[in-house]
Amino acid sequence: MDCLFCKIIAGEIPSTKVYEDERVFAFRDINPQAPVHVLIVPRRHIASADAIDAGNSADVAAVFEAVPKIAKQEGLANGYRVINNCGEDGCQTVKHLHFHLLGGRKLPEQMG
Ligand code: AMP
Ligand code: ZN
């Protein structure tokens, strides 16, 4: 499958890994929007949040279980933001479900 994040997970394209487990892979965003900007993805290809269903939601749950572990590892004791962009209107550019973990400074209130 011609998917950038599948290739990153497979190690075919380099990334800076920050966390991995059986279901989850996390790496630094190449164009960071905050001092900490990590992308957390399910290893299994899910195209977007709009493709989440009962058959793959365990992988999504695993992503969210990883969030506080990665936040702790990254020193985000003062809080952080988790963002998903979905589809055209959500400005999703990579069609493999991913959650942005942003922190390390006070983030802007507005995001819409
Ligand atoms: P989105 O706009 O939500 O689809 O986010 C895609 C994110 O992937 C953007 O923040 C990009 O900076 C990031 N990105 C694109 N290519 C790479 C790459 N090779 N390694 C790490 N992050 C990437
Ligand atoms: Zn993929």
Side-chain angles (χ1 to χ4, degrees):
M1 192 189 297
D2 192 27
C3 169
L4 175 64
F5 289 175
C6 281
K7 288 178 181 163
I8 284 178
I9 293 160
E12 291 164 15
I13 290 176
S15 71
T16 305
K17 181 179 73 179
V18 301
Y19 175 87
E20 68 176 328
D21 64 32
E22 210 173 273
R23 292 179 189 257
V24 179
F25 193 82
F27 53 100
R28 298 205 187 282
D29 195 293
I30 206 168
N31 182 24
Q33 304 298 308
V36 173
H37 188 170
V38 173
L39 298 174
I40 314 175
V41 309
R43 286 186 182 278
R44 179 176 169 192
H45 182 89
I46 301 171
S48 78
D50 204 46
I52 296 170
D53 60 23
N56 60 29
S57 60
D59 293 275
V60 182
V63 165
F64 280 92
E65 286 176 35
V67 165
K69 296 179 192 171
I70 298 167
K72 189 171 187 191
Q73 188 181 303
E74 294 293 317
L76 303 180
N78 209 36
Y80 49 85
R81 184 170 288 160
V82 179
I83 293 176
N84 171 255
N85 296 325
C86 178
E88 189 65 25
D89 282 2
C91 296
Q92 180 182 2
T93 59
V94 180
K95 312 302 185 206
H96 181 129
L97 178 67
H98 54 281
F99 295 87
H100 299 254
L101 172 66
L102 295 154
R105 66 165 161 84
K106 181 81 172 176
L107 298 164
E109 273 184 44
Q110 295 293 332
M111 46 177 280

